[in-house]
Each structure stands twice: as structure tokens, then as C-alpha cells.
Amino acid sequence: MSSAGTTGALPGDPPGGRRAMAVWGVGVAVYFVAVIFRTSLGVAGLDAVDRFHVGASALSTFSILQLLVYAGMQIPVGLMVDRLGTKKVLGIGVVLFTAGQLGFAFSPSYGTALAARALLGCGDALTFISVLRLGTRWFPARRGPLVAQLAGLAGMAGNLVSTLVIARLLHGIGWTAAFAGSALAGVLVFVLLLLFLKDHPEGHEPEPVPHQGAAYVRRQIAASWREPGTRLGMWVHFTTQFPAMVFLLLWGLPFLVEAQGLSRATAGELLTLVVLSNMAVGLVYGQVVARHHGARLPLALVTVGSTAALWAATLVYPAEHAPMWLLTVLCVVLGACGPASMIGFDFSRPANPPERQGTASGITNMGGFVASMTTLLAVGVLLDATGDDYTVAFSAVFVLQALGISQILRLRKRAARRERERLVASRVSSVHVPV
């Protein structure tokens, strides 16, 4: 968001208000349910090993395939949102991720379960970019950072439901009933979407974009990618999101139980702490970035550095198990990864005009999920290769963090210069606009 956006509503900005909150809330509810389904495997990892008789590498394939589909669809989804609008894309997403959750509930074999997770990942991929676009259509630009963080907060609330509710259901009513029952939430949000969701408020319809086939697609992607802010946003998302995503999505519970000797109940409490920390930090980061434009990059870099330091301290602790206080601090710091990843959108959003917002957001969002997918695979392979040595396996985190930091430092000055140029140009043009 440009500095100009922090001082008041821009000309032509949506008005926001209660109606905006209600419509946006429906979109957020869809994303909330998508995250419940996405992260439900994180509390079912050990159950999946027993159900499908697989090892660490095969178990990681569930999440890797899901994230591969998710990451691979981000740019197409951005283009879809720009072309079709939010309601249609979210509706397709709900149908797909609900079908995937149901399929996972009744899968009789590892192969069919993989197919179900791929379908779920496909539907999940359609949600977040759509919700971001919905926020830009219904709220003033100055609310952008806070609205984005609140959307991420809703996602973490979905993760909390997985950690607290799905885990209990699994051990109470069993695999099939737990996953099939949770799929009813997808049906509910689909009905809400059909009844109440609108792409934009009246009088704020976007300019129609004529369909131009493959040439249009290439231009959208190329124009978004040329902007340093888009690429910087992608690398910020890449570097910040994946440590917590890998921990919550799959490997946190096995690490805490098998490597740290905790009970499943205690491990579940620590996973819950990650989610609660994420929700609290998200509110703080959203307010700070909305008020202090220059805080974006320092917040992201401090989060990456703190995460690396705590992971290193935990993995090399000179005892068989790390103490509970250190594991607790690690989980609190991991909670900042999600909010920090949302800062990536605060670089890509002001770098692109409204007609490219979906495409640019898709490129940005792809970063963290590519990093998560890569790390999930690396941890699974290294665990199998080393006989479940979690210290070696989780060292993969530092490699990807180093790569991301190098790219952030390379792009930061170029992106900042382009932002200043756009700000000067907007001020000059506003002087000549009759009031």
C-alpha cells in the first residue's frame, strides 16, 4: 500500500462499512473452512500412517501433492479472479474442497487418499486470492494491510479448529466419521455464498476487460512479474511462511512426540499455541503496517531471524530433549510466520493496478507454498535416509531461509524506488484532477 493510501480514502475507493463486513465475512468463512480441511491432516498424520501403512516419505507426499496443486494453481487462480470475479471462483472452490474432504474420509487406499487430497488442494487454491480480491473491492485501500491480516487470522482460526476439534473427533468417533462430518461445513458455506456474496458494492463495478485469449494471459503475468514489488512480495512470502506451515501441516506433531518425547496431548497444546500466537501477532502486524509503511521489511526480516535462531537452539540443544520453555518459545515465534507472510501482499498490491491484483496476488501467494512443499519433501526424505534424525531433517529450513533472504536483499532497493516513483506520479496527477 502506498503512503498515500494511509491518509484517507482514495478517489473512487469503496466505502467499507457494515455491508462490506457482512459480504467479506462470507468470503472469509469459505476460506476458514478451506483451512480446516487443508490442515486436518496435520493432526491425523500418525493416524494416516496406521490407516494406509506408509512411512515418512509417503506420508509427506499427502501434503506435498496438496501443496503442489495449490502452488501450481495460484497464477491461474489470479487470472480467473480477474476475469470471472470472486463469487464464481469461490463457489467452484467450495465444491472441490468439500468433495476432496469427503473423498479423504472414505478412501480405502493410499492412492485414492492421494487423489482426494489433490482435489482438496485444488479447491483450497481458489479461496485465499479470491478473499484478498473481495477485500480490495469492498474496503478502502488504506484498510488493505489490516483486512489482509484479518483474512489470515480467519485462516489460523480454521487451523485452531483442526487442532482442537478434528483431533478430538478422530480419537472419539474415528477417521471416516470425523472427516465426513467436517465436510458438512463446506455445504453450509456454499449456501451462504450463494445467498449473500457479491463481487463488489453498487457503483464500484470494475471496468470490463475484453477477453483476449492467451495473449491476455501472457501480458497479465509478464506485467505483474516485471514489477519488483511483485517479486519482492513473493520472496517475502516464500521466506516467512513455510517454517510454521511445515510444522502445523504435517511434521510438528511427529517431531514433538517422537523426537521430543511429549505426549500427543501436550504436543497438541503446543500446536494450538502456534495458532494462538499467529492470531495475536496478526492483529499487531496489521495495525503496525497500516500505520507505518516502512515497517514492512524490518518486521519480515526480524521474523525470519527469530525463527532461524529458535529452530537452531531447539535442534542443537545439548540434551536428549529440548526443555519445555524452549519448545514453548519456539511455538510462539513460529506463530509470527503467518502474519509476516501477509506482508508480502503489501509489496505486490501497490505495485499493480486493480485489473492485475488477482494475478499479482497469485504470484505472491505461490512463494510460501513452493517453500512449504519443498521443505515437506526434504524433511520426509531426510527422515527416511537418517533413521528419523529430526535434527538433520529440519536443517532444511535454514537452506530455504538463506535463499529467500538473499533474494529479498537483492530486490528491496529496486522495489522501494518504484514505489517512490509511483507515489510521485500519483501526487502529480492528483494536482491536475478537478475537484
Side-chain angles (χ1 to χ4, degrees):
M1 188 181 72
S2 70
S3 302
T6 62
T7 58
L10 300 176
D13 259 3
R18 293 182 180 178
R19 172 68 171 158
M21 285 298 299
V23 174
W24 179 75
V26 174
V28 168
V30 173
Y31 176 57
F32 170 76
V33 173
V35 174
I36 294 175
F37 293 178
R38 177 202 305 169
T39 58
S40 57
L41 183 62
V43 295
L46 298 178
D47 300 88
V49 168
D50 294 334
R51 181 177 177 86
F52 300 114
H53 310 291
V54 295
S57 295
L59 178 62
S60 66
T61 303
F62 277 124
S63 295
I64 291 166
L65 178 61
Q66 184 178 330
L67 291 183
L68 178 63
V69 172
Y70 188 105
M73 287 190 63
Q74 286 310 290
I75 294 176
V77 168
L79 291 164
M80 287 175 64
V81 172
D82 287 337
R83 289 290 309 164
L84 302 177
T86 301
K87 185 169 185 174
K88 291 179 181 178
V89 176
L90 275 180
I92 296 169
V94 174
V95 172
L96 292 177
F97 68 61
T98 302
Q101 188 78 340
L102 276 173
F104 198 58
F106 294 101
S107 292
S109 66
Y110 177 69
T112 54
L114 274 178
R117 294 307 286 187
L119 186 62
L120 193 157
C122 185
D124 182 18
L126 301 177
T127 59
F128 186 64
I129 300 303
S130 299
V131 172
L132 286 181
R133 175 59 173 260
L134 196 65
T136 63
R137 290 299 186 194
W138 280 90
F139 293 97
R142 63 190 172 84
R143 298 292 187 194
L146 183 58
V147 169
Q149 287 287 356
L150 289 174
L153 189 67
M156 291 313 298
N159 203 324
L160 188 63
V161 170
S162 289
T163 304
L164 296 178
V165 179
I166 302 294
R168 293 178 185 273
L169 290 175
L170 275 169
H171 301 108
I173 61 178
W175 179 284
T176 300
F179 282 104
S182 66
L184 294 175
V187 178
L188 174 61
V189 294
F190 185 67
V191 173
L192 292 175
L193 182 149
L194 292 178
L195 293 177
F196 301 113
L197 195 135
K198 289 185 63 177
D199 285 344
H200 45 73
E202 293 181 8
H204 292 270
E205 295 81 0
E207 290 292 329
V209 180
H211 181 64
Q212 297 170 309
Y216 164 78
V217 171
R218 287 194 297 269
R219 281 197 297 272
Q220 284 285 92
I221 295 173
S224 297
W225 183 256
R226 277 196 299 268
E227 290 291 345
T230 303
R231 283 174 282 146
L232 178 60
M234 184 194 74
W235 283 108
V236 167
H237 200 270
F238 177 101
T239 314
T240 53
Q241 187 204 48
F242 78 93
M245 177 69 74
V246 168
F247 196 79
L248 290 170
L249 198 59
L250 185 61
W251 291 121
L253 188 68
F255 169 74
L256 294 171
V257 173
E258 296 177 354
Q260 298 301 320
L262 302 180
S263 67
R264 288 179 65 137
T266 303
E269 291 172 357
L270 286 176
L271 293 180
T272 303
L273 179 61
V274 176
V275 177
L276 293 175
S277 172
N278 185 299
M279 297 171 75
V281 173
L283 290 173
V284 175
Y285 277 20
Q287 294 282 359
V288 170
V289 172
R291 287 173 169 79
H292 305 285
H293 190 60
R296 293 171 301 171
L297 201 55
L299 282 178
L301 293 176
V302 166
T303 302
V304 174
S306 301
T307 304
L310 267 297
W311 258 125
T314 301
L315 295 177
V316 303
Y317 192 81
E320 183 179 2
H321 298 139
M324 180 57 74
W325 68 264
L326 181 56
L327 294 175
T328 300
V329 176
L330 171 66
C331 289
V332 170
V333 171
L334 284 174
C337 291
S341 73
M342 299 300 295
I343 294 173
F345 298 101
D346 293 315
F347 287 105
S348 65
R349 182 169 49 246
N352 292 273
E355 63 270 17
R356 289 206 310 264
Q357 287 295 315
T359 306
S361 295
I363 293 172
T364 301
N365 204 34
M366 186 173 64
F369 288 92
V370 168
S372 298
M373 178 179 60
T374 304
T375 310
L376 283 167
L377 176 60
V379 171
V381 170
L382 290 171
L383 284 174
D384 281 344
T386 60
D388 293 339
D389 187 332
Y390 280 90
T391 299
V392 174
F394 273 110
S395 296
V397 169
F398 307 120
V399 177
L400 271 77
Q401 285 182 321
L403 171 62
I405 287 293
S406 68
Q407 295 301 311
I408 290 171
L409 296 179
R410 182 178 68 86
L411 289 165
R412 73 189 194 283
K413 290 183 179 179
R414 205 178 315 170
R417 183 169 62 251
R418 287 282 291 145
E419 277 202 0
R420 287 194 297 270
E421 291 171 356
R422 282 191 300 271
L423 179 59
V424 170
S426 67
R427 286 175 175 170
V428 170
S429 64
S430 66
V431 170
H432 298 91
V433 174
V435 181

